[in-house]
Amino acid sequence: MGFIGDQVESIRSMQVRQVLSQIISLGMIVTSALIIWKGLMVATGSESPVVVVLSGSMEPGFKRGDILFLTMSNEPIRTGEIVVFNIDGREIPIVHRVIKVISFEVIT
């Protein structure tokens, strides 16, 4: 038998109590991860408190694969800060460093 056959055979040989124990353990791991994620969302005020840099456009400060922890702030955005924004039609949020801030006044 191959790997899959061995796995099926080992599951068959387990008792019901062992199978239920493993299912409950898996459920607790998934639930813990969700609780931690929701806790980070509340603590940081951000829908995406943890993001990963996907491209090399932020080098040398951040490389591809770096993990960023984000927080929301009511303060004005300044040059050099990291912002996350969504573009209509794209599911993945854009993470980038602010290069320049341009202020303008709307006249009504």
Side-chain angles (χ1 to χ4, degrees), residues 97-108:
R97 185 181 303 276
V98 175
I99 298 171
K100 185 177 185 181
V101 177
I102 302 172
S103 298
F104 60 93
E105 186 175 324
V106 177
I107 300 173
T108 58

Side-chain angles (χ1 to χ4, degrees), residues 23 25 35 43 47 50 55 65 68 72 88-89 95 100-101:
I23 291 171
S25 294
I35 290 171
E47 283 186 33
V50 180
S55 72
L68 305 177
M72 293 292 289
D88 290 337
V95 179
K100 185 177 185 181
V101 177

Side-chain angles (χ1 to χ4, degrees), residues 1 19 22 29 34 39 45 52 57 59-60 63 91 100 106:
M1 275 199 245
V19 172
Q22 289 199 357
I29 290 169
L34 288 173
V52 177
S57 64
E59 289 186 1
K63 296 185 171 122
E91 290 183 26
K100 185 177 185 181
V106 177

Side-chain angles (χ1 to χ4, degrees), residues 4-72:
I4 295 174
D6 292 341
Q7 295 300 317
V8 170
E9 190 61 36
S10 70
I11 290 172
R12 284 185 186 158
S13 67
M14 286 181 160
Q15 295 178 359
V16 174
R17 178 179 261 173
Q18 289 174 317
V19 172
L20 287 175
S21 175
Q22 289 199 357
I23 291 171
I24 290 171
S25 294
L26 178 62
M28 289 176 65
I29 290 169
V30 171
T31 302
S32 296
L34 288 173
I35 290 171
I36 290 170
W37 183 260
K38 290 295 184 180
L40 283 172
M41 286 175 65
V42 170
T44 62
S46 172
E47 283 186 33
S48 299
V50 180
V51 293
V52 177
V53 177
L54 297 177
S55 72
S57 64
M58 293 184 61
E59 289 186 1
F62 300 105
K63 296 185 171 122
R64 286 186 73 203
D66 284 354
I67 298 174
L68 305 177
F69 292 95
L70 307 174
T71 60
M72 293 292 289

